[in-house]
Amino acid sequence: MSTPANRVSTFGTTIFTEINVLAQHYNALNLGQGKPDYDTPPDIIADLVKTLQAGRYNQYAPGPGTSALRQAVADHAARFYGLEIDPAQGVVVTAGATEGIIAAVLGLTDPGDEVILLEPYYDSYQPSVIMANAVPVCVPLHPPTWTIDPDELRRAFSKKTRALILNTPHNPTGRVFTREELTLIAELCIEHDVTVIVDEVYEHLLYDDAIHIPIASLPGMFERTVTISSAGKLFSATGWKIGWVYGHPDLVEGVARAHQFITFAVHHPTQETVAHALNLPDSYYEGFKAMYTRKRDILLSALSKGGLPCLTPQGTYFVLADFTKVFQGSPLEFTHYLIKEIGVACIPPGTLYTPEHVHIGSNYVRFAFCKSDEMLQQVEQRLQKLKSLA
Ligand code: PMP
Ligand code: GLN
């Protein structure tokens, strides 16, 4: 009988899908998957409709992406970070950041190479490394501050290390890596001749005085970094799946070669609209931050009233909350309890760790606050029950 390949034998249904099914079944307020429950801004949708009807964009796009979007990605990097990107050779457009990640891993590592991951990680990193027949080497971020132990990170580097996957602002902890942390990572990558694959999909989701520093902007790093981002979060359009990878042309070349035979090209009209949206004035980006600061604050108040302490997120739309004052059991048990008894869904972080490190996150669950203010306020009411039941 035919069976799935060994390569995928350890991959289960993603935790996001699993929790969506449960949340729907119990009619819980779903703060699980990072998926806005509001729509893309109407002007951006109107631009897409116009583009679809223009009659020029409904056949294959150029494989590396449309020239308008590649130019917009380069302009965005110059405008926000002062980075000089070659739109012709230094950008490739992918089907969301997810394709960018696997195309980067496939295009920049060989079988048997080691790839360092910081845990908890975004759920596609480890499968991407495994599908490339490379070897994940995991270094945990330690609660409650979710910081790296410099010695643990140093020990993770070996002669076989080829790449390190970094995510800042960081899902699920809400941390934004500091210049000091990024400098340590950069120094080790330079010393060991390692490529950095950095996932910056939450680059504009920053709170208070947090500053996003692209690791590609640190001395000696541009030529060893590929940077990945996506339109999904920034334009509340996670369904569009338009992402991009940029960096030094020699590295982007590797990503582009893999991309040619994964998707070849991605949705053409949406690329034109995303190009237009990336060029929106600063007021769009400021309004976006203000909206999420308000949502974060509603959720923080809800968690505090529910007896769930957390590190205040500096970025992203996620927060990891400690449930041990109100519940005894595993994160998965708490998640089931919260969905069934309280009517709120969250994500247990188990699948965001390798089995040997899963205990590090065993007091925490993740909540997403990319939800309507009304829903977050209802969550606040429901979580108050938690304290009284504890
Ligand atoms: N990286 C991180 C850290 C994410 O949280 C997500 C999902 N929102 C992705 C990548 C995937 O992005 P996309 O939907 O553009 O594929
Ligand atoms: N990035 C989103 C999250 O972390 C959802 C990703 C997914 O469903 N694959 O919740």
Side-chain angles (χ1 to χ4, degrees):
M1 200 178 84
S2 301
T3 51
N6 287 340
R7 188 184 294 118
V8 297
S9 63
T10 57
F11 305 168
T13 308
T14 83
I15 191 66
F16 305 112
T17 306
E18 201 178 309
I19 296 301
N20 282 344
V21 171
L22 262 187
Q24 203 173 1
H25 183 77
Y26 288 95
N27 208 13
L29 301 170
N30 191 353
L31 305 197
Q33 191 178 27
K35 179 170 85 169
D37 66 352
Y38 34 87
D39 209 356
T40 313
D43 294 356
I44 299 180
I45 294 179
D47 187 88
L48 179 58
V49 171
K50 211 174 67 196
T51 311
L52 280 163
Q53 290 173 336
R56 288 196 302 281
Y57 302 110
N58 294 316
Q59 310 308 329
Y60 287 130
T66 67
S67 54
L69 182 50
R70 283 183 284 142
Q71 184 67 54
V73 167
D75 291 347
H76 173 276
R79 169 177 165 194
F80 287 97
Y81 312 121
L83 288 170
E84 209 178 299
I85 306 299
D86 174 356
Q89 307 296 324
V91 183
V92 60
V93 178
T94 54
T98 309
E99 194 218 340
I101 294 157
I102 190 158
V105 174
L106 287 169
L108 299 171
T109 68
D110 284 305
D113 285 344
E114 291 179 357
V115 179
I116 297 177
L117 305 179
L118 305 183
E119 292 171 304
Y121 39 63
Y122 180 58
D123 77 331
S124 80
Y125 297 170
Q126 216 229 26
S128 297
V129 173
I130 289 173
M131 286 192 277
N133 292 328
V135 181
V137 173
C138 296
V139 177
L141 298 170
H142 292 282
T145 53
W146 303 107
T147 41
I148 329 169
D149 173 338
D151 290 329
E152 275 176 355
L153 181 64
R154 218 167 266 125
R155 282 200 299 273
F157 282 80
S158 80
K159 284 201 175 67
K160 289 189 181 163
T161 311
R162 182 77 173 270
L164 178 147
I165 304 183
L166 175 69
N167 170 218
T168 185
H170 185 258
N171 174 7
T173 64
R175 288 247 13 252
V176 177
F177 283 74
T178 60
R179 186 173 293 278
E180 196 185 359
E181 289 170 306
L182 295 172
T183 301
L184 172 69
I185 295 169
E187 281 169 3
L188 288 167
C189 289
I190 291 169
E191 182 186 332
H192 295 271
D193 194 18
V194 165
T195 302
V196 174
I197 298 169
V198 62
D199 175 347
E200 300 186 352
V201 298
Y202 299 103
E203 61 191 304
H204 289 289
L205 272 168
L206 299 166
Y207 309 112
D208 309 323
D209 52 4
I211 298 173
H212 168 63
I213 303 171
I215 194 164
S217 68
L218 297 191
M221 288 308 289
F222 185 73
E223 49 277 32
R224 60 176 64 258
T225 302
V226 287
T227 303
I228 297 168
S229 196
S230 138
K233 327 290 153 183
L234 184 53
F235 304 117
S236 308
T238 57
W240 288 7
K241 296 298 288 186
I242 299 291
W244 49 86
V245 182
Y246 68 77
H248 191 285
D250 291 352
L251 292 177
V252 171
E253 168 72 16
V255 182
R257 286 188 197 179
H259 161 77
Q260 288 188 92
F261 300 111
I262 302 175
T263 52
F264 171 61
V266 309
H267 197 267
H268 194 165
T270 318
Q271 293 190 54
E272 296 304 285
T273 294
V274 170
H276 161 80
L278 275 175
N279 288 319
L280 285 171
D282 290 353
S283 54
Y284 174 77
Y285 291 86
E286 285 155 13
F288 179 74
K289 247 192 208 179
M291 170 177 90
Y292 277 106
T293 303
R294 191 180 67 240
K295 293 185 184 302
R296 178 196 66 163
D297 292 346
I298 306 173
L299 183 62
L300 286 177
S301 156
L303 294 174
S304 155
K305 288 185 181 155
L308 301 169
C310 63
L311 180 75
T312 298
Q314 303 157 306
T316 78
Y317 43 54
F318 302 110
V319 54
L320 277 180
D322 180 342
F323 60 84
T324 55
K325 285 201 172 71
V326 293
F327 185 85
Q328 286 187 332
S330 70
L332 186 61
E333 286 162 347
F334 177 66
T335 301
H336 280 244
Y337 168 76
L338 202 68
I339 293 174
K340 293 177 193 169
E341 307 298 331
I342 309 290
V344 176
C346 59
I347 296 288
T351 56
L352 315 181
Y353 282 99
T354 39
E356 65 265 39
H357 289 154
V358 85
H359 62 279
I360 297 173
S362 65
N363 291 355
Y364 294 87
V365 288
R366 190 193 80 174
F367 294 89
F369 51 91
C370 47
K371 308 293 169 181
S372 70
D373 292 4
E374 295 70 33
M375 186 196 277
L376 295 169
Q377 276 146 3
Q378 270 179 284
V379 166
E380 181 161 16
Q381 282 168 10
R382 292 193 186 181
L383 287 187
Q384 288 180 32
K385 260 201 290 179
L386 257 184
K387 251 188 185 165
S388 51
L389 290 177

